[in-house]
Amino acid sequence: MNKSTLTHIRRVAVLGAGVMGAQIAAHLSNAGIATVLFDLPAPSGDANGIALKAIENLKKLKPAPLMSAIRVDGITPANYGSDLALLADCDLVIEAIAERLDWKSDLYAKIAQHLAPHAILATNTSGLSIEALAQSVPAEVKSRFCGIHFFNPPRYMYLVEIIPTQACESALLDKLETFLTMRLGKGVVRAKDTPNFIANRIGVFSMLATIKHAQAFGVRFDVVDDLTGPRLGRPKSATFRTADVVGLDTFAHVVKTMTDTLGDDPWHSLFVTPEWLQQLIANGALGQKTRQGIYKKVGKELFVLDPNVGDYVAGGQKGSEAVKAILKISSPAERIAALRASDLPEAQFIWACLRDVWHYIAVQLEHIAGNARDVDFAIRWGFGWNQGPFEMWQAAGWQAVANAIAEDIAAGKTLSATPLPSWVLSRDGVHTSDGSLDAASGALVARSHLPVYQRQLYPPLVLGEAAADFGQTIYENDSVRMWLPPASTGGGDVPVLSFTTKAHCIGANVLAGVQESIKIAEQYYPGLVIWHPEAPFSVGADLMSMGPAFMTGDFAAIENMVAEFQNTSQAIKYAKVPVVGAAQGYAFGGGCEFLMHCARVVAHVETYIGLVEVGVGLLPAGGGCKEFALRASKLARNGNILEVLKDYYLAMATAKVGTSAEEGQQIGYLKESDIVVMNANELLFVAQAQVRAMAATGYRAPVAPKGFAVAGRSGAATIRGQLVNMLEGGFISKYDYHIGMQIADVVTGGDVEAGTLVNEDWILKLERERFMGLLKKGKTQERIMHMIEFNKPLRN
């Protein structure tokens, strides 16, 4: 096979079973890619012992690198001593060994003759020059060699950077980008071959500048984190908590790479690990993984390092009210101007941090990235910022900020005296509807035209691009919108229903909107997709909307709403056209029940799904209990309904949540026929394709069963015995036991003999009755109020 004939990546080898290599292998297996994990031969015992140990360790890590336990079986352990022949069947080989040029060079020479002639060889490195590594790659492999940089942990971090070499074939890079995007679900940017590439180069610079300014303005570390987290549009971990999460040793390693390799960077003097950080590392306080770093907990008390006193002090201090008020100013331009004009040290601190990042990216853009869009996406996807740094600058008024930076440079306030590039003062921004600026050429670079991106009907945008066109409204009320995407997206024949409520919670108008949209779809369209542009799918029933009836004791109104919820679920299930749910993020309670009734679900792999009603003292009453009772009856062997039902029951009684879409399938919330996609941006494309496929094959709505067998009172008695054991073992409270028995009575069909035939309405009636009975209990009301007030369950 000639190297140019590579069409698909079906099998991958990962060289190096360290923390990163093993987790890359795990995510490849998550995607259903056959993966071989190599390491050195073990000095004793099984030659694959090192790789085997790494694979076994994947089962213990938190957050879990595997989407479900069975995925570990997709990884084959191997060693360099006896198994190199396995490389011949691999289409992609990812080298992920230690950051030593000599070790990598030796490994390339060792494996070269075993590589398939079409295989891509990629090095996962953040610190070494890809071109320098390419010089050590055998000549016959150079055109197939590139850099690839996964972020840790690979399952959850969206960003992957590809770093081309001058010799690498562009067609192979396109295939690699396609594979990473669709099969592994990643957001890909192409970086230039400079130390730390794009995201770490800028992200770590930002952290070092923040550390520097915190010291200069006398701002405590916990106050820094209060001000540089969500208040600034960044993750809750902010700055110092992020360092703890990443690992202080890892952070110091990245800084050292900058120290060693960026000697000509005008900000080089900033690239040093502070003495207090060096001391923490020397003491073994490496952050979260050692339970002590910049922060530490003693019992329930949180402490934070104060380098001025050389010890920990009580933590939890917040930024000043005056500065927090400035950060709440809605206009970005006014907010930035107010920060700069303020005499408050905390305000000056934030302005200095922002200013120096903007100064840095303006100077370095031409060296590190092909365009400004890649910089913004790299920081958004790699460091979790809501907006990239160029977007923030453009939103705040490009020229006003540029002039302010130039004034501070002239006044000697910046960390470098390097002037802003001339292009900065001649533009009004870097992002336009025509593309994003390439500082090296001065051209505007359009988005990639690779076919894989045609699957992303509504891809992530940067500020300044043309706004997404969410098509023509077909029907709407104050809680839903049914719309038809424009024909230009390729999705103009299948309508979409989107909830417009907070967290897509389900209230009376959502129920009415779903039913009306189904009627419209049945009359005019091949089907309907329920999809929201942003996660979550739905957090479930809108408890707040029940408030007035709840407070006045109008339980009849609430029972009517429960009945309407059930009617809506049944309308979804028995619609004359296929209703497909497209889910990402949380799908809890009623949201889960809607998905359980869809003709098909297309779920992003990171869909967290469950019937969690016991957390508010209730049971699933939107058809969830009914669906599990019906499925157990259908799947029962030799009439043993309880054998199947007990796992479904426990999932509801313990509010078990599938921590991936695949786990959701294993629990039973999702069907085996439901589709799991790796890239959330492809959800709508795939969901509409499912509607078309079902319509094209003559979709037939399911027929409501006239009767199905239930486990009856003897089944409920068996479950009761299990609940008693859980109660006596301290695993559940007395009230959990009471709720559990209500669920048991519903899913076993109530006070009937085992094997009695009932219909769906029978179980739905039991759902309503037991739901209303629980709602009237004081302990349920306590749980509901606690959830509304604190957004977390109460176990009373």
Side-chain angles (χ1 to χ4, degrees), residues 409-726:
I409 294 171
K413 295 180 179 180
T414 54
L415 295 176
S416 168
T418 305
L420 288 171
S422 57
W423 63 261
V424 171
L425 298 172
S426 64
R427 301 186 61 84
D428 291 323
V430 290
H431 301 306
T432 74
S433 57
D434 295 323
S436 294
L437 180 70
D438 173 3
S441 67
L444 293 174
V445 178
R447 282 176 169 266
S448 170
H449 294 295
L450 286 178
V452 70
Y453 293 114
Q454 302 308 307
R455 298 168 58 88
Q456 299 185 10
L457 305 187
Y458 291 93
L461 302 176
V462 290
L463 182 81
E465 283 189 285
D469 182 354
F470 287 100
Q472 170 192 351
T473 298
I474 300 169
Y475 158 82
E476 66 182 334
N477 63 26
D478 68 358
S479 297
V480 306
R481 177 177 180 250
M482 181 185 183
W483 54 284
L484 197 64
S488 60
T489 68
D493 58 331
V494 179
V496 179
L497 179 65
S498 300
F499 304 166
T500 55
T501 51
K502 183 178 180 181
H504 307 129
C505 63
I506 302 166
N509 282 337
V510 168
L511 300 175
V514 172
Q515 292 190 46
E516 181 62 24
S517 297
I518 289 172
K519 291 176 184 176
I520 295 170
E522 288 176 329
Q523 188 169 0
Y524 298 108
Y525 298 100
L528 178 67
V529 172
I530 303 176
W531 173 79
H532 317 305
E534 303 289 340
F537 179 75
S538 175
V539 294
D542 181 5
L543 296 175
M544 292 291 288
S545 69
M546 296 184 189
F550 184 72
M551 297 301 291
T552 60
D554 188 359
F555 291 106
I558 296 176
E559 186 169 3
N560 287 338
M561 183 174 172
V562 174
E564 205 55 29
F565 211 125
Q566 294 175 337
N567 292 339
T568 306
S569 294
Q570 293 293 83
I572 291 171
K573 181 174 182 177
Y574 293 110
K576 296 181 181 68
V577 294
V579 178
V580 173
Q584 60 177 316
Y586 300 133
F588 291 159
C592 175
E593 288 173 303
F594 275 6
L595 293 176
M596 291 174 73
H597 287 80
C598 285
R600 185 152 297 157
V601 175
V602 177
H604 178 230
V605 63
E606 299 301 341
T607 298
Y608 307 107
I609 184 169
L611 296 174
V612 297
E613 284 84 351
V614 296
V616 288
L618 296 169
L619 55 72
C625 293
K626 178 266 299 180
E627 276 300 293
F628 272 153
L630 177 58
R631 293 179 191 182
S633 181
K634 287 181 176 179
L635 295 172
R637 293 175 296 181
N638 302 319
N640 190 351
I641 297 170
L642 198 60
E643 180 184 13
V644 180
L645 185 62
K646 66 179 190 300
D647 288 338
Y648 291 159
Y649 165 77
L650 275 177
M652 291 187 287
T654 60
K656 186 174 184 180
V657 172
T659 57
S660 71
E662 187 164 275
E663 273 196 2
Q665 287 178 312
Q666 293 166 358
I667 295 167
Y669 298 131
L670 299 176
K671 299 183 286 290
E672 286 301 314
S673 58
D674 290 334
I675 309 296
V676 177
V677 299
M678 298 297 289
N679 196 313
N681 295 315
E682 296 182 354
L683 275 174
L684 182 55
F685 173 88
V686 177
Q688 289 189 311
Q690 291 296 310
V691 168
R692 294 188 194 103
M694 285 187 277
T697 53
Y699 177 75
R700 292 174 295 168
V703 177
K706 291 183 178 180
F708 59 92
V710 292
R713 65 177 74 91
S714 61
T718 301
I719 290 173
R720 183 180 291 111
Q722 190 172 7
L723 282 174
V724 168
N725 291 336
M726 293 172 69

Side-chain angles (χ1 to χ4, degrees), residues 159-211:
L159 176 66
V160 173
E161 295 170 315
I162 291 178
I163 308 92
T165 63
Q166 293 181 5
C168 189
E169 290 184 5
S170 60
L172 288 179
L173 291 169
D174 290 346
K175 294 181 188 300
L176 179 59
E177 182 169 347
T178 298
F179 170 77
L180 291 168
T181 302
M182 184 169 71
R183 293 303 306 275
L184 298 194
K186 297 304 178 186
V188 176
V189 300
R190 297 198 188 187
K192 294 186 177 181
D193 184 21
T194 54
N196 289 346
F197 312 128
I198 300 175
N200 276 345
R201 178 78 173 267
I202 297 166
V204 173
F205 173 89
S206 176
M207 293 175 71
L208 289 172
T210 301
I211 292 170

Side-chain angles (χ1 to χ4, degrees), residues 27-270:
H27 194 58
L28 287 161
S29 186
N30 286 339
I33 307 296
T35 304
V36 186
L37 180 61
F38 280 84
D39 212 295
L40 295 167
S44 61
D46 191 324
N48 292 330
I50 295 174
L52 281 167
K53 184 178 179 181
I55 293 169
E56 187 64 26
N57 191 51
L58 290 171
K59 303 175 186 178
K60 306 171 188 175
L61 292 177
K62 298 293 180 184
L66 297 161
M67 70 166 65
S68 70
I70 61 171
R71 287 297 167 186
V72 77
D73 297 331
I75 308 172
T76 301
N79 70 85
Y80 305 128
S82 59
D83 298 329
L84 289 179
L86 296 175
L87 293 173
D89 296 326
C90 295
D91 306 302
L92 169 64
V93 177
I94 300 173
E95 171 270 304
I97 68 172
E99 300 279 72
R100 285 275 301 270
L101 179 59
D102 53 343
W103 291 0
K104 291 176 186 284
S105 299
D106 290 345
L107 184 58
Y108 299 156
K110 191 171 188 176
I111 66 172
Q113 63 180 314
H114 299 281
L115 297 177
H118 68 277
I120 300 171
L121 174 62
T123 175
N124 183 71
T125 179
S126 62
L128 298 177
S129 165
I130 307 302
E131 288 291 353
L133 287 169
Q135 298 310 307
S136 64
V137 172
E140 66 272 20
V141 183
K142 285 185 189 297
S143 65
R144 296 178 277 127
F145 178 76
C146 66
I148 186 172
H149 184 212
F150 287 87
F151 275 63
N152 192 24
R155 170 183 166 182
Y156 302 96
M157 295 300 291
Y158 187 55
L159 176 66
V160 173
E161 295 170 315
I162 291 178
I163 308 92
T165 63
Q166 293 181 5
C168 189
E169 290 184 5
S170 60
L172 288 179
L173 291 169
D174 290 346
K175 294 181 188 300
L176 179 59
E177 182 169 347
T178 298
F179 170 77
L180 291 168
T181 302
M182 184 169 71
R183 293 303 306 275
L184 298 194
K186 297 304 178 186
V188 176
V189 300
R190 297 198 188 187
K192 294 186 177 181
D193 184 21
T194 54
N196 289 346
F197 312 128
I198 300 175
N200 276 345
R201 178 78 173 267
I202 297 166
V204 173
F205 173 89
S206 176
M207 293 175 71
L208 289 172
T210 301
I211 292 170
K212 179 84 170 178
H213 291 311
Q215 180 180 2
F217 289 99
V219 185
R220 285 170 45 123
F221 290 176
D222 49 357
V223 174
V224 168
D225 279 353
D226 180 54
L227 296 174
T228 62
R231 299 185 198 282
L232 215 57
R234 299 179 187 178
K236 289 181 180 179
S237 56
T239 302
F240 292 104
R241 285 186 188 279
T242 294
D244 269 354
V245 170
V246 168
L248 301 186
D249 53 339
T250 301
F251 177 67
H253 172 75
V254 176
V255 174
K256 187 175 187 304
T257 299
M258 298 173 79
T259 306
D260 294 345
T261 59
L262 292 173
D264 58 350
D265 189 304
W267 284 264
H268 184 261
S269 62
L270 181 67

